Amino acid sequence: MNQDQTINYIEIPVKDIAATKAFFGKVFGWQFEDYGPEYSCFTNAGIAGGFFLSDKSFDIASGSPLIVLYAKALEVCLTSVADAGAVITQEIFSFPGGRRFHFKDPNGNEFAVWSE
């Protein structure tokens, strides 16, 4: 059910929809529904959203918001992310409340994964 005045959906620019679906499907178990060759919705990700074809990418150095995913087994997730072709941009580090790492997906978009 949609909740009033909450973040409901997120759209992410990607350079290669097929590679993006393969990456997030393999590493995080996301599922997809395509709406033509330039858009794919993702589900099973904690929030609904979609990937749209674009030549742009994002990272926090350029002022973009950071999309942070959660993993119970942080080290296992880091290995899976790297094995699936992402670039680890910050190794696991501690912060108040947990630990996390940053990576760039096959499109060059920066994400983080955290755990307690």
Side-chain angles (χ1 to χ4, degrees), residues 6-86:
T6 63
I7 295 173
N8 179 260
Y9 197 87
I10 186 166
E11 293 188 327
I12 300 172
V14 299
K15 297 173 184 172
D16 185 329
I17 289 179
T20 302
K21 288 169 40 180
F23 176 81
F24 284 96
K26 178 180 181 179
V27 176
F28 297 104
W30 295 5
Q31 298 169 343
F32 308 94
E33 184 173 344
D34 294 337
Y35 290 92
E38 296 185 1
Y39 196 91
S40 184
C41 287
F42 55 79
T43 58
N44 197 37
I47 187 171
F51 297 121
F52 65 93
L53 197 57
S54 173
D55 64 349
K56 307 292 184 199
S57 60
F58 58 85
D59 59 30
I60 59 174
S62 65
S64 295
L66 181 61
I67 299 172
V68 182
L69 309 167
Y70 176 80
K72 288 182 182 179
L74 196 59
E75 290 80 5
V76 172
C77 187
L78 184 143
T79 299
S80 295
V81 163
D83 288 351

Side-chain angles (χ1 to χ4, degrees), residues 96-111:
R99 301 178 308 134
R100 76 181 193 204
F101 69 90
H102 291 214
F103 70 91
K104 288 196 175 183
D105 74 1
N107 301 285
N109 292 328
E110 184 176 8
F111 294 83

